[in-house]
Every structure is written in C-alpha cells, then in structure tokens.
Amino acid sequence: MIAQASISICTILYACLASKDVFAFSTGSSVRYVNKAPTASRHEWQSGVEIELPDLELLFDRVSMASPLAKLVMEGNAVGGFDAIGVEHPELKWKKMEENKRKTVHRIDKADKFQNIKTPLLRFRSSIKGPCIGERFSNFMMDLEERKKWDDQVANVEEIYPIEDLDAVNAILSNQDKYGTCTRVGVGYTQTKQGIISPREQLILGGMQEYENGATILWGTEMEEYHNHLLPPGQRHTRAKSHLFAATLAPTGPDSFDVEYLLQMDVGGGIPNFMTTPALTDAVKKLFEHAKAYFAGGDGSELNSYLKSRQQAEYSDIEIVSSLDEDYLLDAEIDLSEVHSHHHAMNDNESLLFTP
C-alpha cells in the first residue's frame, strides 16, 4: 500500500560553488524558503519525510557550464547537435582522453577539480541513429531489469520517494523555455554487488526535463549525509557520491540524436581516481552500446513494441477525452493537451537514479 507523505521542497538560495563538499544542496546561508507539496512513499518504513529540492538553477548552471550541448538546448538552439557547438566555457580546462568518430562513444574528455573537487568530471559524446526519446534512454538506467542488460554490477536500483507535485517543481523553475518541463523527479537508491571492491550504495535526487523541440536533459545530484535517514533499512555500505550527473539528448534529425553525458563520481573508500576512472568509463561505454542497439529498432524490436504501445496509449487518451460530456469540458475548462500528459510515468520497479 502506498502511504501518503508530506514533502518539504526547499529551494536553497546562495549556494556556494566553492564549498569543500560541493553538492547542489550546498549553501552559504541558513535561510531556506519552503514550499509544501504532496508525495508518495512506496515503503512502510517511512510514512512521513522531508526532502530538499536543491537549488536547481545553480545545478543547471553547472550542467550548462560543462555541457555545451545542454547549453544549446537551454538557449533553444539544439538543432544541429554537436556540429552547432561553439567555444567551450573558458573556466574549464578539458583533457581529451579518447576520440574516434567510428566508435559509439566517439569522444571522452576529462576536467580536473570541477567545483573544486578532486574527483574528475568525465564527459562522453555519442551520436545515435533512431528517434530521440529521453524517457527510453533514462529507462536503461532506471529500470532494474533493463539495467542488468549492460551493468553486471548492479544489485538494486529503486525509486523510493517520487515527488508527485510536478507543478510545484515547475513553479520553482519558472523559465520553462530555458529549463524545459520537469516530467519526473524523485529520490532514488542504488546498490552494487560485491566485486573487486565491496558493495557501494547511493542516494540521489534526480529528474527529467523535456523540451518542446524534442530534447531532454536528465539530471541527478547526490544527497547530503544529513539525508541518510531516507536510506532504506538494512546493512549500510560504503557511500559512493555523484557530485554531478547529466545526460542531454538533442535531436539532429527525424531519426537521429546526439547525447552528451556528464559524470563526476567518487566511488568512496579512498580508492585513487586513476584506478576508478577506467572502470567508470567502461561502464558508460556499455550503456551507450546498449542504447545504440536499442534505438536501431526494426521489426520485432523492443523499440518497435514501445512505439506501438505508446501510439495505442495516445489513441486511448483521445477516445477517453472524446467520450467526456462537452458541457462538462466547458464548465471545467479542461486543457486537453494536459490530459494524460505524463503517460510515460515510470513503473513501480523503475528508479530515478541515473548514474552507473
């Protein structure tokens, strides 16, 4: 049974970019402005919670600084994808790690000390054939069974606190031309298996922004230690922390799109970055190989089945609206464009945790 909970969405002003532990929750001021919004808890261990929504404008500023493709999308100039990218942000010094136009991930860059953090920021670029559907790309990371197809280290991925009042979130991000429309947001938990290193766990707030031009920005940031009461019951593991995650998908044609993927992750346990960076790079490459195969589609493919089911759902929505009494529609002033506008909502076994 889904228990109802009350959620405090705290927008934190004056976030400090130079803080030692720089998450989007960091703040140089104790002043917080709180909006109340309903949410749902999928577990009985927590019937009422307080969850902070980070300073989203600060978060997206960081994303646009590191991702030229995200910057283009936010400026409304996504057409052209990587070919339209101009000069890099002057404050960032990127080191080219790999470049090969024939590979699925055709370029990988690294920036050291982004946000004054020792963990490097990794940036991956890929150009994929197929329809640009951000929800499907996020599903590769959010759905446990889908993720197992490319990530052999995942033990659990789960959304534990979905924020249902998207209007409240979009009200905070008032500039929808720049930030798009938030169509999903919540707190996710993940746990890895025992491997060469011991199991790791993460607690991340993540979301999905969709744009009218077909682009999507997926984002995520690690929650702070003082949010640990939100962790599910059970044995605790070494905490891995994603200081920044974002994946920007921008259509480059009717059947192609570019993806720019950012990841700044500290796997925890004091393991040196020179040992963890190759493993993270390999994991992201596997994600993109899976995405390439999926979006290739074809008769009998999973993509084809998904597109058919989506089309059927849209037809069902039209039939439902058509069957409503016309006088009722006029009296209620229903916006037909918003009826079932979020029919791509995730299933109960899907998670908002996007990072590998």
PDB file of all heavy atoms in Angstrom, residues 218-253:
ATOM      1  N   LEU A 218      18.446  14.842 -18.572  1.00  0.00           N
ATOM      2  CA  LEU A 218      18.342  14.044 -17.355  1.00  0.00           C
ATOM      3  C   LEU A 218      19.380  14.572 -16.382  1.00  0.00           C
ATOM      4  O   LEU A 218      20.503  14.880 -16.780  1.00  0.00           O
ATOM      5  CB  LEU A 218      18.610  12.566 -17.655  1.00  0.00           C
ATOM      6  CG  LEU A 218      17.829  11.940 -18.809  1.00  0.00           C
ATOM      7  CD1 LEU A 218      18.316  10.521 -19.060  1.00  0.00           C
ATOM      8  CD2 LEU A 218      16.345  11.958 -18.519  1.00  0.00           C
ATOM      9  N   TRP A 219      19.033  14.677 -15.111  1.00  0.00           N
ATOM     10  CA  TRP A 219      19.974  15.235 -14.155  1.00  0.00           C
ATOM     11  C   TRP A 219      19.893  14.501 -12.822  1.00  0.00           C
ATOM     12  O   TRP A 219      18.895  13.859 -12.500  1.00  0.00           O
ATOM     13  CB  TRP A 219      19.714  16.735 -13.931  1.00  0.00           C
ATOM     14  CG  TRP A 219      18.312  17.056 -13.477  1.00  0.00           C
ATOM     15  CD1 TRP A 219      17.228  17.334 -14.274  1.00  0.00           C
ATOM     16  CD2 TRP A 219      17.836  17.096 -12.127  1.00  0.00           C
ATOM     17  NE1 TRP A 219      16.116  17.551 -13.502  1.00  0.00           N
ATOM     18  CE2 TRP A 219      16.455  17.413 -12.189  1.00  0.00           C
ATOM     19  CE3 TRP A 219      18.426  16.906 -10.881  1.00  0.00           C
ATOM     20  CZ2 TRP A 219      15.663  17.542 -11.045  1.00  0.00           C
ATOM     21  CZ3 TRP A 219      17.653  17.025  -9.743  1.00  0.00           C
ATOM     22  CH2 TRP A 219      16.291  17.357  -9.825  1.00  0.00           C
ATOM     23  N   GLY A 220      20.971  14.600 -12.055  1.00  0.00           N
ATOM     24  CA  GLY A 220      20.983  13.983 -10.741  1.00  0.00           C
ATOM     25  C   GLY A 220      22.095  14.550  -9.891  1.00  0.00           C
ATOM     26  O   GLY A 220      23.127  14.997 -10.407  1.00  0.00           O
ATOM     27  N   THR A 221      21.882  14.567  -8.584  1.00  0.00           N
ATOM     28  CA  THR A 221      22.900  15.022  -7.647  1.00  0.00           C
ATOM     29  C   THR A 221      22.762  14.237  -6.356  1.00  0.00           C
ATOM     30  O   THR A 221      21.661  13.890  -5.942  1.00  0.00           O
ATOM     31  CB  THR A 221      22.788  16.539  -7.381  1.00  0.00           C
ATOM     32  OG1 THR A 221      23.900  16.969  -6.583  1.00  0.00           O
ATOM     33  CG2 THR A 221      21.495  16.902  -6.682  1.00  0.00           C
ATOM     34  N   GLU A 222      23.899  13.928  -5.761  1.00  0.00           N
ATOM     35  CA  GLU A 222      23.906  13.138  -4.528  1.00  0.00           C
ATOM     36  C   GLU A 222      23.298  13.926  -3.381  1.00  0.00           C
ATOM     37  O   GLU A 222      23.497  15.139  -3.257  1.00  0.00           O
ATOM     38  CB  GLU A 222      25.336  12.749  -4.170  1.00  0.00           C
ATOM     39  CG  GLU A 222      25.442  11.657  -3.125  1.00  0.00           C
ATOM     40  CD  GLU A 222      25.165  10.285  -3.702  1.00  0.00           C
ATOM     41  OE1 GLU A 222      25.357  10.100  -4.920  1.00  0.00           O
ATOM     42  OE2 GLU A 222      24.774   9.397  -2.916  1.00  0.00           O
ATOM     43  N   MET A 223      22.556  13.228  -2.543  1.00  0.00           N
ATOM     44  CA  MET A 223      22.015  13.865  -1.357  1.00  0.00           C
ATOM     45  C   MET A 223      23.083  13.867  -0.265  1.00  0.00           C
ATOM     46  O   MET A 223      23.991  13.050  -0.251  1.00  0.00           O
ATOM     47  CB  MET A 223      20.742  13.152  -0.908  1.00  0.00           C
ATOM     48  CG  MET A 223      19.680  13.125  -2.013  1.00  0.00           C
ATOM     49  SD  MET A 223      18.017  12.681  -1.459  1.00  0.00           S
ATOM     50  CE  MET A 223      17.502  14.231  -0.707  1.00  0.00           C
ATOM     51  N   GLU A 224      22.959  14.808   0.658  1.00  0.00           N
ATOM     52  CA  GLU A 224      23.972  15.001   1.685  1.00  0.00           C
ATOM     53  C   GLU A 224      23.887  13.929   2.775  1.00  0.00           C
ATOM     54  O   GLU A 224      22.908  13.179   2.861  1.00  0.00           O
ATOM     55  CB  GLU A 224      23.797  16.397   2.313  1.00  0.00           C
ATOM     56  CG  GLU A 224      23.975  17.551   1.341  1.00  0.00           C
ATOM     57  CD  GLU A 224      25.431  17.947   1.163  1.00  0.00           C
ATOM     58  OE1 GLU A 224      26.317  17.140   1.534  1.00  0.00           O
ATOM     59  OE2 GLU A 224      25.686  19.047   0.667  1.00  0.00           O
ATOM     60  N   GLU A 225      24.901  13.893   3.631  1.00  0.00           N
ATOM     61  CA  GLU A 225      24.923  12.917   4.722  1.00  0.00           C
ATOM     62  C   GLU A 225      23.738  13.116   5.669  1.00  0.00           C
ATOM     63  O   GLU A 225      23.235  12.152   6.251  1.00  0.00           O
ATOM     64  CB  GLU A 225      26.237  13.034   5.497  1.00  0.00           C
ATOM     65  CG  GLU A 225      27.479  12.685   4.690  1.00  0.00           C
ATOM     66  CD  GLU A 225      27.558  11.215   4.334  1.00  0.00           C
ATOM     67  OE1 GLU A 225      26.869  10.405   4.993  1.00  0.00           O
ATOM     68  OE2 GLU A 225      28.297  10.879   3.389  1.00  0.00           O
ATOM     69  N   TYR A 226      23.294  14.367   5.826  1.00  0.00           N
ATOM     70  CA  TYR A 226      22.179  14.594   6.744  1.00  0.00           C
ATOM     71  C   TYR A 226      20.845  14.114   6.167  1.00  0.00           C
ATOM     72  O   TYR A 226      19.813  14.212   6.828  1.00  0.00           O
ATOM     73  CB  TYR A 226      22.095  16.064   7.175  1.00  0.00           C
ATOM     74  CG  TYR A 226      21.932  17.082   6.070  1.00  0.00           C
ATOM     75  CD1 TYR A 226      20.694  17.312   5.465  1.00  0.00           C
ATOM     76  CD2 TYR A 226      23.012  17.848   5.652  1.00  0.00           C
ATOM     77  CE1 TYR A 226      20.555  18.265   4.475  1.00  0.00           C
ATOM     78  CE2 TYR A 226      22.873  18.806   4.662  1.00  0.00           C
ATOM     79  CZ  TYR A 226      21.645  19.014   4.079  1.00  0.00           C
ATOM     80  OH  TYR A 226      21.499  19.965   3.099  1.00  0.00           O
ATOM     81  N   HIS A 227      20.864  13.581   4.947  1.00  0.00           N
ATOM     82  CA  HIS A 227      19.676  12.948   4.380  1.00  0.00           C
ATOM     83  C   HIS A 227      19.676  11.431   4.588  1.00  0.00           C
ATOM     84  O   HIS A 227      18.797  10.733   4.079  1.00  0.00           O
ATOM     85  CB  HIS A 227      19.594  13.211   2.867  1.00  0.00           C
ATOM     86  CG  HIS A 227      19.457  14.653   2.501  1.00  0.00           C
ATOM     87  ND1 HIS A 227      20.313  15.267   1.614  1.00  0.00           N
ATOM     88  CD2 HIS A 227      18.576  15.605   2.885  1.00  0.00           C
ATOM     89  CE1 HIS A 227      19.967  16.536   1.472  1.00  0.00           C
ATOM     90  NE2 HIS A 227      18.915  16.765   2.241  1.00  0.00           N
ATOM     91  N   ASN A 228      20.648  10.911   5.338  1.00  0.00           N
ATOM     92  CA  ASN A 228      20.802   9.459   5.461  1.00  0.00           C
ATOM     93  C   ASN A 228      19.592   8.771   6.081  1.00  0.00           C
ATOM     94  O   ASN A 228      19.419   7.563   5.921  1.00  0.00           O
ATOM     95  CB  ASN A 228      22.053   9.116   6.265  1.00  0.00           C
ATOM     96  CG  ASN A 228      23.327   9.261   5.443  1.00  0.00           C
ATOM     97  OD1 ASN A 228      23.272   9.507   4.236  1.00  0.00           O
ATOM     98  ND2 ASN A 228      24.473   9.143   6.095  1.00  0.00           N
ATOM     99  N   HIS A 229      18.766   9.525   6.788  1.00  0.00           N
ATOM    100  CA  HIS A 229      17.559   8.914   7.368  1.00  0.00           C
ATOM    101  C   HIS A 229      16.598   8.433   6.274  1.00  0.00           C
ATOM    102  O   HIS A 229      15.683   7.657   6.554  1.00  0.00           O
ATOM    103  CB  HIS A 229      16.848   9.910   8.284  1.00  0.00           C
ATOM    104  CG  HIS A 229      16.358  11.137   7.575  1.00  0.00           C
ATOM    105  ND1 HIS A 229      17.194  12.176   7.212  1.00  0.00           N
ATOM    106  CD2 HIS A 229      15.122  11.484   7.140  1.00  0.00           C
ATOM    107  CE1 HIS A 229      16.495  13.107   6.603  1.00  0.00           C
ATOM    108  NE2 HIS A 229      15.234  12.719   6.538  1.00  0.00           N
ATOM    109  N   LEU A 230      16.826   8.873   5.032  1.00  0.00           N
ATOM    110  CA  LEU A 230      15.982   8.437   3.920  1.00  0.00           C
ATOM    111  C   LEU A 230      16.422   7.099   3.339  1.00  0.00           C
ATOM    112  O   LEU A 230      15.703   6.512   2.528  1.00  0.00           O
ATOM    113  CB  LEU A 230      15.989   9.498   2.810  1.00  0.00           C
ATOM    114  CG  LEU A 230      15.459  10.884   3.186  1.00  0.00           C
ATOM    115  CD1 LEU A 230      15.672  11.851   2.036  1.00  0.00           C
ATOM    116  CD2 LEU A 230      13.984  10.815   3.563  1.00  0.00           C
ATOM    117  N   LEU A 231      17.610   6.638   3.721  1.00  0.00           N
ATOM    118  CA  LEU A 231      18.091   5.360   3.209  1.00  0.00           C
ATOM    119  C   LEU A 231      17.173   4.226   3.660  1.00  0.00           C
ATOM    120  O   LEU A 231      16.626   4.255   4.761  1.00  0.00           O
ATOM    121  CB  LEU A 231      19.515   5.096   3.701  1.00  0.00           C
ATOM    122  CG  LEU A 231      20.619   5.949   3.078  1.00  0.00           C
ATOM    123  CD1 LEU A 231      21.894   5.852   3.908  1.00  0.00           C
ATOM    124  CD2 LEU A 231      20.886   5.531   1.639  1.00  0.00           C
ATOM    125  N   PRO A 232      17.011   3.210   2.832  1.00  0.00           N
ATOM    126  CA  PRO A 232      16.171   2.080   3.223  1.00  0.00           C
ATOM    127  C   PRO A 232      16.812   1.300   4.361  1.00  0.00           C
ATOM    128  O   PRO A 232      18.031   1.356   4.554  1.00  0.00           O
ATOM    129  CB  PRO A 232      16.092   1.237   1.943  1.00  0.00           C
ATOM    130  CG  PRO A 232      17.315   1.593   1.179  1.00  0.00           C
ATOM    131  CD  PRO A 232      17.575   3.039   1.489  1.00  0.00           C
ATOM    132  N   PRO A 233      16.020   0.566   5.133  1.00  0.00           N
ATOM    133  CA  PRO A 233      16.598  -0.227   6.231  1.00  0.00           C
ATOM    134  C   PRO A 233      17.477  -1.341   5.692  1.00  0.00           C
ATOM    135  O   PRO A 233      17.344  -1.754   4.541  1.00  0.00           O
ATOM    136  CB  PRO A 233      15.354  -0.783   6.936  1.00  0.00           C
ATOM    137  CG  PRO A 233      14.286  -0.786   5.887  1.00  0.00           C
ATOM    138  CD  PRO A 233      14.568   0.409   5.024  1.00  0.00           C
ATOM    139  N   GLY A 234      18.376  -1.810   6.534  1.00  0.00           N
ATOM    140  CA  GLY A 234      19.268  -2.880   6.115  1.00  0.00           C
ATOM    141  C   GLY A 234      20.715  -2.509   6.343  1.00  0.00           C
ATOM    142  O   GLY A 234      21.034  -1.439   6.873  1.00  0.00           O
ATOM    143  N   GLN A 235      21.603  -3.391   5.954  1.00  0.00           N
ATOM    144  CA  GLN A 235      23.033  -3.171   6.129  1.00  0.00           C
ATOM    145  C   GLN A 235      23.501  -1.988   5.294  1.00  0.00           C
ATOM    146  O   GLN A 235      23.140  -1.850   4.134  1.00  0.00           O
ATOM    147  CB  GLN A 235      23.809  -4.426   5.722  1.00  0.00           C
ATOM    148  CG  GLN A 235      25.317  -4.296   5.867  1.00  0.00           C
ATOM    149  CD  GLN A 235      26.044  -5.548   5.398  1.00  0.00           C
ATOM    150  OE1 GLN A 235      25.411  -6.524   5.013  1.00  0.00           O
ATOM    151  NE2 GLN A 235      27.369  -5.525   5.429  1.00  0.00           N
ATOM    152  N   ARG A 236      24.273  -1.127   5.909  1.00  0.00           N
ATOM    153  CA  ARG A 236      24.827   0.021   5.206  1.00  0.00           C
ATOM    154  C   ARG A 236      26.132  -0.370   4.528  1.00  0.00           C
ATOM    155  O   ARG A 236      26.871  -1.236   4.987  1.00  0.00           O
ATOM    156  CB  ARG A 236      25.068   1.191   6.165  1.00  0.00           C
ATOM    157  CG  ARG A 236      23.807   1.735   6.820  1.00  0.00           C
ATOM    158  CD  ARG A 236      23.083   2.768   5.953  1.00  0.00           C
ATOM    159  NE  ARG A 236      22.571   2.278   4.701  1.00  0.00           N
ATOM    160  CZ  ARG A 236      21.359   1.737   4.561  1.00  0.00           C
ATOM    161  NH1 ARG A 236      20.567   1.589   5.593  1.00  0.00           N
ATOM    162  NH2 ARG A 236      20.948   1.346   3.373  1.00  0.00           N
ATOM    163  N   HIS A 237      26.398   0.307   3.391  1.00  0.00           N
ATOM    164  CA  HIS A 237      27.592   0.051   2.609  1.00  0.00           C
ATOM    165  C   HIS A 237      28.345   1.360   2.394  1.00  0.00           C
ATOM    166  O   HIS A 237      27.810   2.445   2.638  1.00  0.00           O
ATOM    167  CB  HIS A 237      27.215  -0.569   1.260  1.00  0.00           C
ATOM    168  CG  HIS A 237      26.423  -1.835   1.383  1.00  0.00           C
ATOM    169  ND1 HIS A 237      26.987  -3.039   1.718  1.00  0.00           N
ATOM    170  CD2 HIS A 237      25.082  -2.065   1.224  1.00  0.00           C
ATOM    171  CE1 HIS A 237      26.042  -3.974   1.759  1.00  0.00           C
ATOM    172  NE2 HIS A 237      24.887  -3.409   1.458  1.00  0.00           N
ATOM    173  N   THR A 238      29.568   1.263   1.914  1.00  0.00           N
ATOM    174  CA  THR A 238      30.338   2.464   1.599  1.00  0.00           C
ATOM    175  C   THR A 238      29.555   3.325   0.620  1.00  0.00           C
ATOM    176  O   THR A 238      29.024   2.832  -0.376  1.00  0.00           O
ATOM    177  CB  THR A 238      31.698   2.085   0.988  1.00  0.00           C
ATOM    178  OG1 THR A 238      32.416   1.286   1.929  1.00  0.00           O
ATOM    179  CG2 THR A 238      32.510   3.327   0.653  1.00  0.00           C
ATOM    180  N   ARG A 239      29.490   4.603   0.902  1.00  0.00           N
ATOM    181  CA  ARG A 239      28.694   5.513   0.092  1.00  0.00           C
ATOM    182  C   ARG A 239      29.511   6.026  -1.092  1.00  0.00           C
ATOM    183  O   ARG A 239      30.590   6.606  -0.937  1.00  0.00           O
ATOM    184  CB  ARG A 239      28.245   6.688   0.962  1.00  0.00           C
ATOM    185  CG  ARG A 239      27.324   7.688   0.300  1.00  0.00           C
ATOM    186  CD  ARG A 239      25.876   7.263   0.337  1.00  0.00           C
ATOM    187  NE  ARG A 239      25.045   8.344  -0.159  1.00  0.00           N
ATOM    188  CZ  ARG A 239      24.458   9.264   0.608  1.00  0.00           C
ATOM    189  NH1 ARG A 239      24.617   9.227   1.922  1.00  0.00           N
ATOM    190  NH2 ARG A 239      23.706  10.203   0.075  1.00  0.00           N
ATOM    191  N   ALA A 240      29.028   5.760  -2.300  1.00  0.00           N
ATOM    192  CA  ALA A 240      29.569   6.415  -3.493  1.00  0.00           C
ATOM    193  C   ALA A 240      28.777   7.701  -3.703  1.00  0.00           C
ATOM    194  O   ALA A 240      27.594   7.767  -3.352  1.00  0.00           O
ATOM    195  CB  ALA A 240      29.441   5.508  -4.702  1.00  0.00           C
ATOM    196  N   LYS A 241      29.407   8.715  -4.256  1.00  0.00           N
ATOM    197  CA  LYS A 241      28.737  10.009  -4.381  1.00  0.00           C
ATOM    198  C   LYS A 241      28.917  10.597  -5.773  1.00  0.00           C
ATOM    199  O   LYS A 241      30.037  10.764  -6.252  1.00  0.00           O
ATOM    200  CB  LYS A 241      29.266  10.988  -3.335  1.00  0.00           C
ATOM    201  CG  LYS A 241      28.953  10.552  -1.904  1.00  0.00           C
ATOM    202  CD  LYS A 241      29.432  11.555  -0.882  1.00  0.00           C
ATOM    203  CE  LYS A 241      29.060  11.114   0.529  1.00  0.00           C
ATOM    204  NZ  LYS A 241      29.512  12.074   1.561  1.00  0.00           N
ATOM    205  N   SER A 242      27.800  10.904  -6.398  1.00  0.00           N
ATOM    206  CA  SER A 242      27.810  11.584  -7.698  1.00  0.00           C
ATOM    207  C   SER A 242      27.663  13.074  -7.449  1.00  0.00           C
ATOM    208  O   SER A 242      26.576  13.551  -7.108  1.00  0.00           O
ATOM    209  CB  SER A 242      26.670  11.080  -8.588  1.00  0.00           C
ATOM    210  OG  SER A 242      26.878   9.738  -8.949  1.00  0.00           O
ATOM    211  N   HIS A 243      28.757  13.792  -7.585  1.00  0.00           N
ATOM    212  CA  HIS A 243      28.707  15.241  -7.386  1.00  0.00           C
ATOM    213  C   HIS A 243      27.904  15.909  -8.497  1.00  0.00           C
ATOM    214  O   HIS A 243      27.281  16.945  -8.280  1.00  0.00           O
ATOM    215  CB  HIS A 243      30.117  15.806  -7.341  1.00  0.00           C
ATOM    216  CG  HIS A 243      30.952  15.258  -6.220  1.00  0.00           C
ATOM    217  ND1 HIS A 243      30.858  15.709  -4.924  1.00  0.00           N
ATOM    218  CD2 HIS A 243      31.885  14.271  -6.211  1.00  0.00           C
ATOM    219  CE1 HIS A 243      31.698  15.034  -4.152  1.00  0.00           C
ATOM    220  NE2 HIS A 243      32.326  14.160  -4.912  1.00  0.00           N
ATOM    221  N   LEU A 244      27.932  15.303  -9.690  1.00  0.00           N
ATOM    222  CA  LEU A 244      27.145  15.836 -10.799  1.00  0.00           C
ATOM    223  C   LEU A 244      26.880  14.723 -11.801  1.00  0.00           C
ATOM    224  O   LEU A 244      27.765  13.932 -12.125  1.00  0.00           O
ATOM    225  CB  LEU A 244      27.893  16.980 -11.502  1.00  0.00           C
ATOM    226  CG  LEU A 244      27.152  17.641 -12.679  1.00  0.00           C
ATOM    227  CD1 LEU A 244      25.895  18.363 -12.182  1.00  0.00           C
ATOM    228  CD2 LEU A 244      28.066  18.614 -13.417  1.00  0.00           C
ATOM    229  N   PHE A 245      25.646  14.660 -12.243  1.00  0.00           N
ATOM    230  CA  PHE A 245      25.278  13.786 -13.356  1.00  0.00           C
ATOM    231  C   PHE A 245      24.320  14.539 -14.256  1.00  0.00           C
ATOM    232  O   PHE A 245      23.422  15.242 -13.793  1.00  0.00           O
ATOM    233  CB  PHE A 245      24.595  12.499 -12.880  1.00  0.00           C
ATOM    234  CG  PHE A 245      23.809  11.838 -13.981  1.00  0.00           C
ATOM    235  CD1 PHE A 245      24.467  11.131 -14.971  1.00  0.00           C
ATOM    236  CD2 PHE A 245      22.435  11.993 -14.081  1.00  0.00           C
ATOM    237  CE1 PHE A 245      23.762  10.569 -16.026  1.00  0.00           C
ATOM    238  CE2 PHE A 245      21.718  11.441 -15.122  1.00  0.00           C
ATOM    239  CZ  PHE A 245      22.385  10.724 -16.095  1.00  0.00           C
ATOM    240  N   ALA A 246      24.510  14.400 -15.557  1.00  0.00           N
ATOM    241  CA  ALA A 246      23.551  14.944 -16.523  1.00  0.00           C
ATOM    242  C   ALA A 246      23.742  14.223 -17.849  1.00  0.00           C
ATOM    243  O   ALA A 246      24.860  13.878 -18.229  1.00  0.00           O
ATOM    244  CB  ALA A 246      23.737  16.449 -16.717  1.00  0.00           C
ATOM    245  N   ALA A 247      22.640  13.998 -18.529  1.00  0.00           N
ATOM    246  CA  ALA A 247      22.683  13.449 -19.885  1.00  0.00           C
ATOM    247  C   ALA A 247      21.740  14.288 -20.738  1.00  0.00           C
ATOM    248  O   ALA A 247      20.547  14.384 -20.450  1.00  0.00           O
ATOM    249  CB  ALA A 247      22.265  11.983 -19.905  1.00  0.00           C
ATOM    250  N   THR A 248      22.281  14.918 -21.754  1.00  0.00           N
ATOM    251  CA  THR A 248      21.499  15.764 -22.658  1.00  0.00           C
ATOM    252  C   THR A 248      21.313  15.052 -23.986  1.00  0.00           C
ATOM    253  O   THR A 248      22.289  14.639 -24.617  1.00  0.00           O
ATOM    254  CB  THR A 248      22.197  17.111 -22.890  1.00  0.00           C
ATOM    255  OG1 THR A 248      22.383  17.771 -21.635  1.00  0.00           O
ATOM    256  CG2 THR A 248      21.373  17.991 -23.815  1.00  0.00           C
ATOM    257  N   LEU A 249      20.061  14.899 -24.397  1.00  0.00           N
ATOM    258  CA  LEU A 249      19.736  14.300 -25.686  1.00  0.00           C
ATOM    259  C   LEU A 249      19.128  15.379 -26.565  1.00  0.00           C
ATOM    260  O   LEU A 249      18.136  16.016 -26.185  1.00  0.00           O
ATOM    261  CB  LEU A 249      18.736  13.152 -25.527  1.00  0.00           C
ATOM    262  CG  LEU A 249      19.226  11.856 -24.854  1.00  0.00           C
ATOM    263  CD1 LEU A 249      19.300  12.015 -23.332  1.00  0.00           C
ATOM    264  CD2 LEU A 249      18.302  10.699 -25.203  1.00  0.00           C
ATOM    265  N   ALA A 250      19.713  15.601 -27.740  1.00  0.00           N
ATOM    266  CA  ALA A 250      19.231  16.633 -28.653  1.00  0.00           C
ATOM    267  C   ALA A 250      19.038  16.046 -30.046  1.00  0.00           C
ATOM    268  O   ALA A 250      19.984  15.483 -30.615  1.00  0.00           O
ATOM    269  CB  ALA A 250      20.216  17.798 -28.707  1.00  0.00           C
ATOM    270  N   PRO A 251      17.826  16.148 -30.609  1.00  0.00           N
ATOM    271  CA  PRO A 251      17.600  15.590 -31.949  1.00  0.00           C
ATOM    272  C   PRO A 251      18.408  16.327 -33.004  1.00  0.00           C
ATOM    273  O   PRO A 251      18.524  17.551 -32.970  1.00  0.00           O
ATOM    274  CB  PRO A 251      16.090  15.781 -32.154  1.00  0.00           C
ATOM    275  CG  PRO A 251      15.710  16.885 -31.227  1.00  0.00           C
ATOM    276  CD  PRO A 251      16.628  16.779 -30.051  1.00  0.00           C
ATOM    277  N   THR A 252      18.982  15.565 -33.927  1.00  0.00           N
ATOM    278  CA  THR A 252      19.728  16.157 -35.040  1.00  0.00           C
ATOM    279  C   THR A 252      19.023  15.902 -36.366  1.00  0.00           C
ATOM    280  O   THR A 252      19.515  16.295 -37.415  1.00  0.00           O
ATOM    281  CB  THR A 252      21.155  15.570 -35.102  1.00  0.00           C
ATOM    282  OG1 THR A 252      21.077  14.137 -35.151  1.00  0.00           O
ATOM    283  CG2 THR A 252      21.948  15.978 -33.874  1.00  0.00           C
ATOM    284  N   GLY A 253      17.889  15.253 -36.327  1.00  0.00           N
ATOM    285  CA  GLY A 253      17.097  14.930 -37.497  1.00  0.00           C
ATOM    286  C   GLY A 253      15.894  14.117 -37.060  1.00  0.00           C
ATOM    287  O   GLY A 253      15.709  13.860 -35.861  1.00  0.00           O
TER     288      GLY A 253
END
